Amino acid sequence: MTKKQLFDSLVRGEQQHTTPFSPILMHFAARHIGKTYGAFASDHNVLVEANIKAMEDFDMDMVSLISDPYREASAFGAEIEFRDEEVPRCLTQVIKKAEEIEKLVIPDVYTSKRTLDRIQGAEAYSRILKGKVPVIGWIEGPLAEACNLMGITEMLMHLMMDEQSSEMLLDKCLEMGKSFAKAQIDAGCHIIGMGDAVCSQIDSVTYDRFVRERHTEIIQHIHDLGGLVKLHVCGNITHLLPSLKGINADIVDIDWQVDLDNARKKLGPGTILCGNINPVVIQDKSAEEVYALSKDLVEKQKGQRYILSGGCEVTVNTPAENLLAMRKASR
Amino acid sequence: MDELLENIATCIEFGKINTGSPFPPDMRGKKGADEYTREALDAGINPHTVLTRGLMVGMDKVGKKFRENKVFVPQVLMSAKAMNTAMEHLMPFFYSGDISAKGTFIIGTVFGDLHDIGKNLVAMMLKGNGWNVIDLGMDVATDTFLKTLEGHPGAVVGLSALLTTTMANMHQIVERIKEKKPQTIVAIGGAPVTQDFCDKIGADIYSPDPQGLLEDLDNKLFAR
């Protein structure tokens, strides 16, 4: 059975002999092949090579195109600075005044360098892996993207002060997300990860008012294109779980602050939960301790739709033995 | 007098800036912290009383609600905006010495970290609690913290980090501060930070929320 066939059986809810293992790797993966984070984020060849090597060495069950949050922002006109061992920096606030929202043009994902680079990454995975491993593409969720364009403080206050232009900006970010998701599915991605981390910082009323319908729409769009969706909202989303139930995400990342059993209860048996060991714990504890924590999660989630992972990105300084311990625990 | 102070506190608690502000929707068209603070001062209420029984009461309430997950970041930002607007009226009294700050708090995200939402929230709530805040912004080098501390002896230093990777940079900054100015209180915070980490790197205060920091600061300073 290929990893893709195993994943398909997980989606169908069939009995798994091995719990799938799919941690989020970025800086770690780059370092693993002796490359910088800057190279990983700016060159799909490095990103793909790093992820495939990590998949092979740690027997991971999926590969991903996640890198940094600024691919779409770059396409919208933001200047991005790459640094060797840091997350890329967004140097430009694309939207400085509300009046600029109306004029904001949704860019072509095939002509912007950074969005095209991710699409080319998807094509490279398809060529190399020949559909045998699930490939996760990546887009920014509408609120995250709006915050990338306007600044997080400014956007969160704008939501409270000017609903109309907030809606307009969110709609443009939604359309951008849909277009970018389609391009990645066309290039061979099976799953689209949607990162909307800032949602953990808003209340459920604001989420329901501004984001929920847009999440539902983009997920439906991806489903219509034949893809699945992995929603990534790191941080504590306990208060959002009832709202997330109806948006139909196939996989929901659960960060370490959230009780996994509660998430299961709220999201139901049909959702694949992915998580949720604290990345600091994975980094700092011994391999034996990481194994024990992972084993405990795996045992508790046995028979359910579940992927073992960290709550969020595995850090660059995590010992390789600790990732191997997680893999071992999931068998 | 009490009614005006209560109105100020309510406006700050619910993020009502001024009459023109559309937030919160159920207070649309009503006066905000801006107008009530002006009215209080015009009515001859002592500026220190306006600060402690108006602004600080409002920020204390919103801080507690934030800790209890009854409000989230957007609502706190609106409260802070209302508080800042009210504070504008009080600034002349700080300059003249009629109101004295609780102390000086130097804050910034550690070098390598560009996530400032948590830092901004803490800075705003400190201001609302009567602190003189020096906000060094994001990606702040160790030397910048030290240099600023030189100019403000006795100031508390607050370090913020959102990423697990940049959290490690706190260690170096705390070490240098403690080496140069051992008496300095250093507070740390951010999503990946824990009390264990705080103890490990020799920082003095860790709190998962801004309100906890305010309370810890009061306790620490009171104990001195």
Side-chain angles (χ1 to χ4, degrees), chain A residues 37-318:
Chain A
Y37 198 169
F40 178 90
S42 59
D43 180 351
H44 67 272
N45 293 303
V46 174
L47 184 147
V48 167
E49 182 192 346
N51 275 292
I52 290 178
K53 179 78 170 114
M55 176 196 71
E56 290 169 349
D57 290 354
F58 301 106
D59 190 21
M60 290 160 51
D61 289 306
M62 297 174 174
V63 290
S64 171
L65 285 158
I66 187 173
S67 64
D68 63 276
Y70 303 128
R71 301 253 176 189
E72 292 97 318
S74 169
F76 273 114
E79 188 187 347
I80 309 300
E81 180 186 69
F82 296 98
R83 294 190 169 200
D84 281 352
E85 301 299 341
E86 292 177 22
V87 180
R89 297 179 173 207
C90 182
L91 305 178
T92 324
Q93 188 181 335
V94 174
I95 303 291
K96 296 186 188 71
K97 292 182 290 189
E99 301 82 69
E100 293 169 354
I101 293 171
E102 201 171 351
K103 295 177 198 150
L104 187 72
V105 177
I106 300 165
D108 178 355
V109 295
Y110 290 100
T111 53
S112 167
K113 191 178 170 189
R114 293 213 70 212
T115 45
L116 178 61
D117 180 71
R118 180 169 282 164
I119 296 163
Q120 289 170 331
E123 290 166 349
Y125 274 140
S126 287
R127 272 197 312 276
I128 298 165
L129 301 173
K130 302 183 191 315
K132 291 178 182 168
V133 178
V135 176
I136 308 170
W138 206 266
I139 59 170
E140 289 296 295
L143 185 57
E145 186 52 28
C147 289
N148 287 339
L149 297 177
M150 199 175 208
I152 184 168
T153 302
E154 294 78 7
M155 183 62 203
L156 293 183
M157 290 176 74
H158 200 66
L159 284 177
M160 303 291 109
M161 296 286 277
D162 188 343
E163 293 190 359
Q164 201 181 346
S165 71
S166 293
E167 300 265 14
M168 193 190 297
L169 180 56
L170 288 166
D171 280 340
K172 292 193 177 194
C173 294
L174 169 71
E175 289 309 314
M176 177 63 178
K178 284 161 78 172
S179 149
F180 199 20
K182 181 177 186 316
Q184 292 176 67
I185 289 170
D186 288 348
C189 289
H190 308 103
I191 304 156
I192 297 295
M194 176 164 66
D196 221 344
V198 69
C199 290
S200 63
Q201 303 305 311
I202 65 174
D203 55 290
S204 59
V205 173
T206 304
Y207 176 81
D208 289 347
R209 168 74 182 81
F210 291 101
V211 187
R212 189 174 187 274
E213 273 183 36
R214 290 180 173 87
H215 275 175
T216 307
E217 183 177 334
I218 204 162
I219 289 166
Q220 185 58 52
H221 174 74
I222 292 167
H223 286 168
D224 290 345
L225 294 167
L228 299 180
V229 178
K230 171 178 151 96
L231 179 69
H232 179 83
V233 181
C234 46
N236 192 347
I237 56 167
T238 304
H239 63 293
L240 295 182
L241 289 172
S243 296
L244 295 179
K245 181 170 171 52
I247 65 170
N248 295 325
D250 305 279
I251 306 170
V252 177
D253 281 351
I254 303 294
D255 209 342
W256 62 272
Q257 299 94 332
V258 181
D259 179 74
L260 205 54
D261 292 336
N262 183 35
R264 170 65 67 204
K265 209 164 122 187
K266 296 277 167 50
L267 296 176
T271 306
I272 299 169
L273 302 186
C274 185
N276 72 336
I277 305 177
N278 185 344
V280 178
V281 169
I282 302 174
Q283 174 190 274
D284 291 344
K285 298 289 182 184
S286 68
E288 291 73 25
E289 288 169 302
V290 172
Y291 173 85
L293 283 167
S294 304
K295 197 72 186 168
D296 185 49
L297 275 176
V298 166
E299 290 301 323
K300 283 181 180 161
Q301 295 298 318
K302 207 156 221 160
Q304 308 197 68
R305 287 179 170 89
Y306 172 67
I307 297 170
L308 177 65
S309 176
C312 197
E313 181 192 0
V314 167
T315 66
V316 64
N317 294 320
T318 297

Side-chain angles (χ1 to χ4, degrees), chain B residues 115-164:
Chain B
H115 302 82
D116 65 351
I117 186 76
K119 183 265 296 172
N120 291 345
L121 284 176
V122 170
M124 289 165 175
M125 295 194 68
L126 283 162
K127 280 183 195 167
N129 196 249
W131 284 81
N132 169 38
V133 177
I134 299 175
D135 187 347
L136 299 177
M138 298 182 287
D139 190 21
V140 181
T142 308
D143 285 345
T144 308
F145 280 110
L146 286 170
K147 204 173 159 190
T148 311
L149 194 52
E150 287 289 338
H152 299 274
V156 177
V157 177
L159 311 175
S160 168
L162 183 80
L163 305 176
T164 314

Side-chain angles (χ1 to χ4, degrees), chain B residues 22-221:
Chain B
F23 183 86
D26 59 351
M27 291 172 82
R28 201 172 289 221
K30 294 181 180 167
K31 286 187 220 173
D34 185 19
E35 291 91 352
Y36 283 126
T37 304
R38 184 71 262 156
E39 282 178 27
L41 293 171
D42 289 347
I45 301 175
N46 182 299
H48 186 258
T49 305
V50 175
L51 176 69
T52 54
R53 289 179 51 198
L55 275 67
M56 282 169 63
V57 171
M59 283 310 282
D60 184 61
K61 283 184 179 171
V62 81
K64 285 175 177 155
K65 281 156 80 176
F66 185 57
R67 181 198 299 188
E68 293 161 6
N69 290 336
K70 288 178 179 163
V71 294
F72 286 75
V73 173
Q75 291 81 13
V76 180
L77 288 172
M78 293 308 297
S79 289
K81 176 87 177 162
M83 185 274 300
N84 278 337
T85 308
M87 193 66 92
E88 287 296 312
H89 297 291
L90 296 181
M91 285 318 288
F93 301 100
F94 278 100
Y95 297 135
S96 67
D98 289 331
I99 310 178
S100 53
K102 280 185 170 179
T104 297
F105 195 102
I106 300 165
I107 192 167
T109 74
V110 299
F111 56 93
D113 202 308
L114 299 176
H115 302 82
D116 65 351
I117 186 76
K119 183 265 296 172
N120 291 345
L121 284 176
V122 170
M124 289 165 175
M125 295 194 68
L126 283 162
K127 280 183 195 167
N129 196 249
W131 284 81
N132 169 38
V133 177
I134 299 175
D135 187 347
L136 299 177
M138 298 182 287
D139 190 21
V140 181
T142 308
D143 285 345
T144 308
F145 280 110
L146 286 170
K147 204 173 159 190
T148 311
L149 194 52
E150 287 289 338
H152 299 274
V156 177
V157 177
L159 311 175
S160 168
L162 183 80
L163 305 176
T164 314
T165 43
T166 53
M167 177 177 92
N169 299 342
M170 286 177 164
H171 196 171
Q172 185 200 114
I173 302 173
V174 172
E175 235 173 31
R176 291 278 308 280
I177 289 173
K178 292 292 182 183
E179 181 191 311
K180 297 265 181 193
K181 304 270 179 193
Q183 300 306 314
T184 305
I185 293 176
V186 182
I188 62 170
V193 180
T194 60
Q195 185 62 52
D196 276 356
F197 180 73
C198 176
D199 298 339
K200 190 172 146 190
I201 67 170
D204 303 287
I205 298 175
Y206 158 72
S207 172
D209 60 83
Q211 190 63 25
L213 170 65
L214 298 177
E215 290 168 7
D216 283 349
L217 281 171
D218 283 346
N219 293 336
K220 282 260 176 203
L221 292 170

